[in-house]
Amino acid sequence: MATTTAPAANSPAAPTPTDTPSRGIAAIALVVVLGSIMSVLDVTVVNVALNHLAQDFDAPLATIQWVATGYTLALATVIPTAAWAMGRFGTKRLYMFSIATFAAGSILAGLAWSAESLIVFRVLQGLGGGLIMPVGMTILARASDPSRMGRTMAILGIPVLIGPLAGPILGGWLVDDVSWRWIFFINVPIGAIALGLAAKVFPRDTAQPTRPLDVPGLLMLSPGLALLIYGLATGGEKGDFGAAGALVPAVLGALLVIGFVARALRVEHALIDLRLFRNRAFVAAAGTMFLFVCAYFGSMMLAPLYYQLVRGESATASGMLGAPQALATALAMQVASRLSDRIAPGRIVLIGIAVGASGFLAFTTQVAADTPYWVLMACMSVTGVGVGMTLMPTTASALRTMSHEQVAVAGTTLTIIQQVSAAIGGALMSVLLAGSMRDGLPAGQGAGGLGELHTLSPDVVVAVGPALADAFQGTYWWAVTLMGLALLPALLMSRRQPTGAVGE
């Protein structure tokens, strides 16, 4: 395993962990959580409103889908610049800029007068939102002692859990009883509070442009990620990766990413330092995260569809049915992340994946048109415990081995891996579900995919319910398999008690 260098004693970029009192770390964590909640909650809230937006703007759903897709592509474009920008402008200023940009985009989105203007303003939101998580992670990780990295990651896990839990419920209420514009305006007071607190409590840092911006690398990686994610999303939407509109951008994106990797291995100051992958702990964490996120977040779109299409529930009710799982994940994440400061993360993550896959397997075997809800929620609560034991301890395991200077690059790289794996998982599950529906449903009664299913009468949908449930079950089996495969890279994670960053 490659070793990392200890941070320079006189580095002005940020205070060392011991320079920041625990009370100061708590204040920093509060600001980071506020900003992250704003960006994570926004995604789930907007997804609930897409159908209403299509009606209000009298636009086809394919156009309105760009309200979500444009935001995601903006994230993919800006995230690769995060590590360089933190050195060039300083973490505090960059974080405040990203919050301000996101809030400004939210105001403009709430004032949108057409579908096209809303899409443009959502892209602006994404340019700010893409920096919030990696910059916030870097600020908090640098302020924290490596021996307490698990507790730090537990804090960062709070927004990830609040979004899926509260987003559908909050979004449904705002759209149904207030106005869709408030799904964007609600970000403004949160952003204002986060901005004011960041100015007051974040440690002062200075710009440290130690390396030039890798412009050729940026021109390959950012468009490459955007094209890859767009192609995957389009393939998932159409239920066919072979369609020209999905295959061509996906292949072009993959070629650009491969070109970036080939070049980054040769140049001195690459946009993303791939020497991180010489570190066994980082490679193990990255591989575990890729497979686990692909399985879990990719399958998250299946449960709401199952409850709504097979069981006839509303969007809000579907969100409520997922609440026990989110709560189980939240509790397990807080406990497991803190334990990872005293117990080797590799041991916790292995148990977490095994528990998560077991709950997922039990849920999959029980998926049917008439399964009692308490059975399904119990199974997914077990999965939630496994998720909580896996995600943040995996991240903590990777960052704990990084030097002060490497944290920004490592956090950026992990964020890219999460975005790409979630996109791959979502697209894969969509295509697999479409294939299962084609094979298991009668022609003219859902075999054409979700679009055809939406045109059928409620009586016909009820009649094909058992076959439709089988299609969902068949898709879930693939997600269970992917989650189980995450055990392989997890076996490479250290099972020795953590001792802090290498080189300290």
Side-chain angles (χ1 to χ4, degrees):
M1 181 174 68
T3 58
T4 59
T5 57
N10 60 351
S11 173
T16 59
T18 55
D19 293 333
T20 308
S22 58
R23 188 174 301 175
I25 294 176
I28 292 170
L30 172 64
V31 181
V32 172
V33 167
L34 275 176
S36 299
I37 283 177
M38 182 177 65
S39 61
V40 173
L41 193 64
D42 182 80
V43 175
T44 53
V45 167
V46 169
N47 286 340
V48 173
L50 291 180
N51 190 47
H52 289 78
L53 292 172
Q55 295 174 4
D56 283 6
F57 287 126
D58 193 23
L61 194 58
T63 299
I64 290 297
Q65 186 64 38
W66 273 94
V67 172
T69 304
Y71 180 87
T72 302
L73 296 185
L75 290 182
T77 301
V78 75
I79 286 173
T81 69
W84 170 83
M86 280 185 259
R88 176 64 181 82
F89 302 106
T91 54
K92 179 175 181 176
R93 280 185 289 178
L94 186 62
Y95 190 84
M96 293 177 66
F97 171 79
S98 63
I99 291 288
T101 302
F102 187 89
S106 298
I107 294 173
L108 293 171
L111 298 173
W113 56 89
S114 66
E116 291 75 16
S117 65
L118 179 57
I119 292 168
V120 170
F121 298 144
R122 281 286 286 167
V123 170
L124 177 62
Q125 266 191 307
L127 294 176
L131 294 172
I132 290 175
M133 186 65 79
V135 179
M137 178 188 298
T138 299
I139 292 172
L140 193 54
R142 284 177 173 176
S144 175
D145 190 288
S147 64
R148 297 168 61 90
M149 190 62 70
R151 302 182 189 186
T152 301
M153 291 304 106
I155 295 170
L156 287 175
I158 294 173
V160 179
L161 300 171
I162 290 179
L165 176 62
I169 300 171
L170 178 62
W173 174 69
L174 289 174
V175 169
D176 291 338
D177 298 331
V178 186
S179 167
W180 65 263
R181 297 184 185 275
W182 276 95
I183 66 176
F184 302 111
F185 289 151
I186 197 172
N187 294 323
V188 179
I190 301 176
I193 294 171
L195 198 60
L197 289 176
K200 183 177 181 180
V201 306
F202 275 180
R204 180 177 299 177
D205 62 352
T206 57
Q208 200 177 28
T210 56
R211 58 193 177 103
L213 176 62
D214 178 16
V215 176
L218 178 63
L219 294 177
M220 285 190 285
L221 185 57
S222 288
L225 289 173
L227 285 169
L228 178 61
I229 291 175
Y230 171 76
L232 292 171
T234 303
E237 181 184 342
K238 296 180 180 296
D240 181 11
F241 284 134
L247 182 62
V248 173
V251 170
L252 287 176
L255 290 174
L256 284 171
V257 172
I258 292 171
F260 168 81
V261 171
R263 180 181 177 278
L265 292 173
R266 300 194 313 268
V267 301
E268 184 177 357
H269 298 295
L271 187 67
I272 300 294
D273 187 359
L274 298 183
R275 288 175 296 180
L276 287 173
F277 289 92
R278 297 175 185 172
N279 185 317
R280 173 176 168 173
F282 186 83
V283 170
T288 301
M289 183 173 292
F290 178 84
L291 289 168
F292 196 86
V293 168
C294 189
Y296 177 64
F297 285 96
S299 66
M300 283 183 67
M301 50 82 66
L302 294 176
L305 287 175
Y306 163 75
Y307 285 126
Q308 292 174 46
L309 298 178
V310 179
R311 310 300 294 268
E313 299 292 347
S314 66
T316 303
S318 299
M320 294 295 291
L321 287 167
Q325 177 190 348
L327 291 174
T329 303
L331 293 173
M333 182 176 291
Q334 296 304 310
V335 173
S337 296
R338 285 165 171 78
L339 283 176
S340 67
D341 289 332
R342 292 179 290 165
I343 301 173
R347 298 181 185 276
I348 297 174
V349 171
L350 282 174
I351 296 173
I353 295 174
V355 172
S358 298
F360 218 179
L361 176 63
F363 176 86
T364 300
T365 59
Q366 295 299 316
V367 169
D370 55 358
T371 308
Y373 285 149
W374 71 266
V375 173
L376 298 176
M377 288 190 290
C379 293
M380 290 308 288
S381 294
V382 174
T383 301
V385 172
V387 172
M389 295 177 66
T390 302
L391 290 180
M392 289 307 166
T394 298
T395 304
S397 173
L399 294 184
R400 183 179 281 116
T401 64
M402 298 293 112
S403 69
H404 180 84
E405 291 82 0
Q406 290 177 315
V407 166
V409 180
T412 299
T413 305
L414 290 175
T415 303
I416 291 173
I417 291 172
Q418 290 172 5
Q419 289 289 330
V420 172
S421 55
I424 291 175
L428 180 62
M429 294 306 140
S430 296
V431 171
L432 291 170
L433 178 61
S436 295
M437 292 173 66
R438 231 179 0 253
D439 297 337
L441 295 176
Q445 295 186 10
L450 296 177
E452 180 181 290
L453 201 63
H454 286 308
T455 65
L456 302 178
S457 67
D459 291 340
V460 174
V461 173
V462 171
V464 299
L468 185 57
D470 290 341
F472 275 93
Q473 186 180 67
T475 306
Y476 268 118
W477 277 111
W478 289 96
V480 172
T481 302
L482 280 174
M483 188 172 286
L485 287 175
L487 285 168
L488 299 179
L491 288 170
L492 299 176
M493 296 177 67
S494 174
R495 289 190 287 279
R496 292 181 298 176
Q497 187 169 347
T499 57
V502 176
E504 292 189 329

